[in-house]
Amino acid sequence: MLKKNIFKKISILSLVVVATIACQQESIDDITSVDPGTDESAPVVEITSPSDGMSFQTTAETTMLDIAFEVIDDIEVVEISVSLNGEEIEYYNEFTDYRIVPKEIAYELGDGDYTLTVQATDIVGNITTDTVSFSKSTVDYLPQFDEEAFYMNFNGNYTEFISNTEITVVGQPGYAGEAKVGSNAYAGNTDSYLTAPVDGLTSENFSATFWYKVNAVPDRAGILVAGPEDTENPDAQILRTSGFRLFREASGSLQVIKLNVGTGDAESWNDGGTVDPAAGEWAHIAFTISATETKIYINGALVNTATLATPMSWSGTEFFSIMSGAPRFAGWGHLSDSSYIDDLRFFTKELTEDDIMNVMEYTEE
């Protein structure tokens, strides 16, 4: 009797399994092939890096060039050829996605003039070519101003020219395709910024100058920050007892450039002045820090002064963040800046108004 009951249960279970599989099969559509149609259009080819007309200036004889492009076809890409000055440097004929093909190439570049060509062929033989021209030159840089201690020209590079060192890149910042000085300024991007050590810059008197083309999105951001790590608030990072924080915040349709300076036991706020994103123009920004006060200048004009009870402290400030408040000034959303910045200089002195005008006029030539 026991064996008969077990056999009966197994039989019922088998019927349930069969019925379930049958129901599942009825709910699944048959896989059918779809005719992709006729290839009616030639491929679309776009070189996104480098930009046409870019002039790379570096202090080294060679630099790594980031080549980036995308090929799109309505049916199928069959081959892509990448050439530099007529010599093929890459060839592709196998693709994960045959309709949309993004590619990036790292290429070591020496001095000279270059023409980059990307040629794509689709399945019926349509051919499209995109071409950009650019150049690379080695520059021996000497400081142009008294106590100039840090200089970045952003002409297709993230190099600090006085110490001849590559700056640390976080995330994926880009280039603007335009510049106030030279050919190609820094363009900010989400979660992206640069960092540089404060070595040789920790003077009681300090100044910075740069050209800036503000983007109002996001509505607030860090621009230049040197601050201590906030070990008590590791996620917020709001400690302001040393270093400085240059940042921007929205005020209606304008952006206010502000400065905060830490003096050890206290801090000082300079509420700065405004720039208009809608103008779409480059503005010259400068700030100075002395033992007793801070000043902010916009386009050579003094816009605000604030006092310091004691000189700025550099305690715990190992590095600068350029174009973001992260990682040391993140508590109020002053994160990566999507604006453009060009011709950045730091000085181990308090610049006068005449000094700032001299820098501004020099870089406008």
Side-chain angles (χ1 to χ4, degrees):
M1 177 64 94
L2 180 60
K3 290 181 179 180
K4 184 176 180 181
N5 287 338
I6 292 173
F7 179 76
K8 183 176 180 181
K9 290 179 180 179
I10 292 173
S11 299
I12 292 171
L13 179 61
S14 299
L15 289 171
V16 170
V17 171
V18 170
T20 301
I21 293 173
C23 289
Q24 290 176 342
Q25 288 177 336
E26 287 178 3
S27 65
I28 299 175
D29 294 333
D30 292 335
I31 297 175
T32 57
S33 61
V34 176
D35 185 350
T38 304
D39 193 321
E40 298 179 350
S41 302
V44 176
V45 181
E46 181 183 10
I47 298 172
T48 56
S49 178
S51 301
D52 191 38
M54 179 186 290
S55 175
F56 292 91
Q57 293 180 335
T58 69
T59 55
E61 293 183 357
T62 63
T63 188
M64 293 305 297
L65 171 67
D66 293 324
I67 298 172
F69 64 88
E70 184 176 67
V71 176
I72 301 174
D73 190 66
D74 55 343
I75 299 299
E76 183 176 337
V77 178
V78 295
E79 64 177 10
I80 299 171
S81 174
V82 183
S83 300
L84 194 62
N85 286 356
E87 180 180 348
E88 187 173 75
I89 59 172
E90 288 290 348
Y91 175 80
Y92 307 95
N93 62 3
E94 294 182 359
F95 311 102
T96 303
D97 186 333
Y98 285 85
R99 297 190 181 192
I100 303 175
V101 184
K103 290 290 183 181
E104 294 183 0
I105 304 167
Y107 188 86
E108 189 172 12
L109 195 71
D111 288 352
D113 298 323
Y114 295 92
T115 299
L116 174 69
T117 302
V118 178
Q119 178 176 287
T121 306
D122 69 13
I123 196 169
V124 297
N126 294 319
I127 298 175
T128 302
T129 300
D130 192 19
T131 300
V132 298
S133 296
F134 57 95
S135 64
K136 188 270 178 192
S137 59
T138 301
V139 178
D140 293 325
Y141 183 79
L142 295 175
Q144 300 298 301
F145 306 97
D146 182 43
E147 295 191 56
E148 179 186 356
F150 180 102
Y151 173 58
M152 295 185 71
N153 72 358
F154 298 112
N155 281 342
N157 66 78
Y158 299 135
T159 302
E160 196 286 296
F161 274 45
I162 294 177
S163 65
N164 191 20
T165 56
E166 291 292 321
I167 298 303
T168 301
V169 179
V170 178
Q172 294 183 314
Y175 295 105
E178 64 172 275
K180 178 62 180 180
V181 184
S183 63
N184 215 13
Y186 174 103
N189 195 14
T190 303
D191 298 328
S192 301
Y193 55 95
L194 310 177
T195 65
V198 300
D199 300 347
L201 297 168
T202 56
S203 169
E204 184 176 277
N205 298 314
F206 181 87
S207 302
T209 67
F210 57 94
W211 287 97
Y212 188 61
K213 193 171 187 178
V214 66
N215 185 338
V217 180
D219 67 350
R220 59 180 53 206
I223 304 173
L224 297 172
V225 169
E229 182 179 8
D230 192 342
T231 56
E232 295 185 3
N233 300 281
D235 295 326
Q237 293 297 319
I238 57 176
L239 189 62
R240 304 181 303 279
T241 55
S242 61
F244 64 84
R245 287 140 289 278
L246 185 75
F247 59 99
R248 63 174 175 85
E249 294 180 339
S251 176
S253 61
L254 303 177
Q255 285 284 322
V256 185
I257 309 296
K258 299 183 178 183
L259 177 67
N260 171 270
V261 174
T263 58
D265 295 329
E267 59 184 315
S268 172
W269 291 88
N270 187 324
D271 290 334
T274 61
V275 291
D276 185 1
E281 297 176 350
W282 287 94
H284 191 265
I285 308 296
F287 70 88
T288 66
I289 301 172
S290 72
T292 58
E293 61 185 7
T294 68
K295 296 179 179 180
I296 296 177
Y297 298 80
I298 298 178
N299 290 326
L302 177 63
V303 294
N304 203 52
T305 301
T307 59
L308 296 176
T310 56
M312 175 175 64
S313 168
W314 286 94
S315 177
T317 57
E318 302 97 341
F319 59 86
F320 295 95
S321 293
I322 301 171
M323 294 300 277
S324 179
R328 295 289 174 83
F329 182 51
W332 291 279
H334 299 98
L335 302 176
S336 52
D337 192 344
S338 56
S339 306
Y340 299 165
I341 189 171
D342 201 10
D343 206 71
L344 172 64
R345 302 172 193 265
F346 295 156
F347 303 81
T348 52
K349 63 176 287 187
E350 179 193 10
L351 296 180
T352 66
E353 189 166 349
D354 286 343
D355 290 334
I356 291 168
M357 288 300 300
N358 287 338
V359 174
M360 182 177 167
E361 291 170 359
Y362 173 83
T363 56
E364 283 188 313
E365 294 179 354

